[in-house]
Amino acid sequence: MGELSPDEAVARAALIDARVKRAEEVMLRLAGTREAREATARSLKRTARDISVRIQRSVGAMGITGVGLVGYGLATTGIVGLDLMIAGALAVPAVGAAALMIPTRRKVERPEQLAQTPLDRLSGAADEWLGRVKIELPRASWQEADRVRSRLVELQPLLAGRAPGDAEAIEARRLIGEHLPRLVRASLALPPAQRGQPEAARELNGGLAVIGGELGRLTETIAAAKVDALRVESRFLENRYR
Amino acid sequence: MASQAPATPTLTIDPPSPAPIELTPPTPVPAVAPTQAAGLVPISDEVKTQLEARVDGFIDELVTVDANSPEFGKKVDALTNLGRREIAEAANQSNRFLDRPVRSLNEDGGIGANLTQLRRTVEDLDPSKRGDLTARRKLFGLVPFGGRARQYFDSYKSAQGTIQSILGSLANGKDELLRDNAAIDVERQNLWAAMGKLEQMVHVSKTLDAKLEDKAAELDATDPAKATAIRQTALFYVRQRTQDLLTQMAVTVQGYLALDLVKKNNVELVKGVDRASTTTVAALRTAVTVAQAMTNQKLVLDQVTALNTTTANIIDKTGELLRQNTARIHEQASNAAVPVETLKRAFQNIYATMDAIDTFKLKSLESMKTTVNTLSAEVEKSRGYIARAQGQAQAAVSGPAQDGPFAALPQR
């Protein structure tokens, strides 16, 4: 390989950078936006957690039923008879299946339920709900919806443990519990054919963008208060010891 | 402190404090009229030019659209929301700063209670309340029986634990005041930023006012219908918003000043706590020396050493007091007649400090109350505007324009 002059080296490096950037862009387009990928990862994680909880419950319930039947047999007749074995063979899988069916947490099915969801779970529940109704929204709004969802996830830990009466909590409840469901409901109220029209999608996108922006601002406000608390501590230490 | 004292640090008598402590109660914050409120925070010329360019752009667009079209209505709506975010931000903080002076009225980190307790404990030890310490006690008034002085100094041993714990609590209370002041510093920085943004919006609304007025006059000849529309809608809303912005500005400025008042109040209280601790430790150390001089017995106050360390931590600026005139006092202590007088004076210093704190607190309470009342009245006045602004915010949430054409710029 021949020696490169500095200018050539710079030019080649720039070319390589540009190619890498393009490749990244293509990959990003294929994989959807970052928000969309994160949302998928979140719902996969949730499903996995859900399944694992159900299996644990099911195994536990079957174990208890089996032990209970054996115990009953031993206590009453001293042996585990055929009848008990048949009963066990029928009851244990039935109990296991029933335990699998029990939902692990209360899902928000209707948007009105969001208004009653406790603040600690509000943001997460809204994220989950929006993820489920997203398919019914116009495709052109999915990206904006994903953005709102990622804002909801960012906000979730900051809302936990806040007094329901403080200004930020009230604002969060208003945005997530009222404005967001109303907006989505208004879009879903349109006939499917009209819902996908550019005009309708644009209105929905506009509304979602406002909500996303406000959620971001709310997150910033709460985070800024935490930064202030840190500033107070460090300032106190400076005044106290210097 | 100990390292700078002579060879036996606990055996020095401390001087009467050179000057009586003066704690200055802060003066109450006067009501700030909306007309005085603007112009307190400077806006750079660069920012002003940018804001004015936006105003010009907005007016140009407003003039081009039909006065009856929805676009015209939309533009006018943007004016009704002018500075909404800036007002909301400042108002949000004003709720917090109103809380602070009220809180400082009610609690002082337990300092008041601790000082009362300290005074009670110290009064029990006061030599001037124990009669003649040099007299000898007599059993049934006949048989000589120990010395009064010895019995008196014994009482120190039982009191030292109490005093130590009170001084510890005072130190904690002082820390709370200092932390409060650190929080005030941060809040004032935030308020300053909020006032800067309000100031920008006031500038925008005043510029809008002047330029809309000019434009309407200009249009009177060519397009009288539009001129009327501008006067009746755009100009009307702009003037209303100017009033809202100035009202919020007045409240914020007043809150800013009130926070300074609380801070000064805290600083004075900290001084008081320092001095109370210093004078108390000085009295105890004097007692140790005097006990040796009078009874020729070493009064062992184990915790005095600990107290010295504690107070050395409490006192940073008034610490020199303890070191002044040590030589002179040494001289006085060696003179047999003086010791009790010296001790009495040491106690007088404690009382003087506590009286000064009491007087200060009474006066500062008045200042604080006046300030809180004025501030509450102003905040109450601005609440109406804030409610209106919030109503508009609710109406605007479904609209696409978030900040409208105007928003405060980051100040450099």
Side-chain angles (χ1 to χ4, degrees), chain B residues 336-412:
Chain B
V338 174
V340 180
E341 286 313 306
T342 314
L343 190 58
K344 281 180 184 168
R345 211 151 42 205
F347 273 81
Q348 281 313 313
N349 285 340
I350 308 179
Y351 294 146
T353 305
M354 291 187 172
D355 290 344
I357 296 175
D358 285 347
T359 322
F360 162 78
K361 281 181 97 176
L362 270 181
K363 284 189 187 153
S364 103
L365 192 74
E366 249 163 65
S367 284
M368 204 75 87
K369 268 187 183 155
T370 318
T371 305
V372 168
N373 288 344
T374 338
L375 191 56
S376 311
E378 291 302 314
V379 168
E380 209 45 61
K381 264 190 238 164
S382 81
R383 283 232 168 100
Y385 297 104
I386 293 161
R388 187 162 79 219
Q390 272 173 352
Q392 278 153 359
Q394 289 234 325
V397 86
S398 53
Q402 280 194 62
D403 287 322
F406 309 108
L409 302 167
Q411 270 279 34
R412 260 150 287 186

Side-chain angles (χ1 to χ4, degrees), chain A residues 167-168 174-175 178-179 183 203 206-207 209-214 217 221 224-225 227-229 231-237 239-242, chain B residues 84-85 92 96 171 174-176 178-186 189-190 263 313-314 316-317 390 394 396-403:
Chain A
E168 281 79 23
R174 195 180 292 151
L175 265 174
E178 284 174 41
H179 296 327
L183 178 72
E203 292 295 337
V210 173
I211 289 178
E214 287 304 315
R217 207 182 297 277
T221 311
V227 171
D228 278 351
R231 276 165 73 201
V232 168
E233 284 311 307
S234 97
R235 185 154 192 117
F236 159 72
L237 290 172
N239 289 348
R240 173 78 167 75
Y241 294 103
R242 288 210 184 138
Chain B
R84 175 177 66 81
R85 192 172 306 290
N92 207 6
R96 259 180 286 163
K174 182 187 157 181
D175 273 1
E176 241 168 82
L178 287 177
R179 189 170 273 122
D180 207 33
N181 274 3
I184 288 176
D185 283 348
V186 170
Q189 277 175 18
N190 290 343
K263 187 178 169 180
N313 287 337
I314 302 174
D316 13 61
K317 291 173 194 85
Q390 272 173 352
Q394 289 234 325
V397 86
S398 53
Q402 280 194 62
D403 287 322

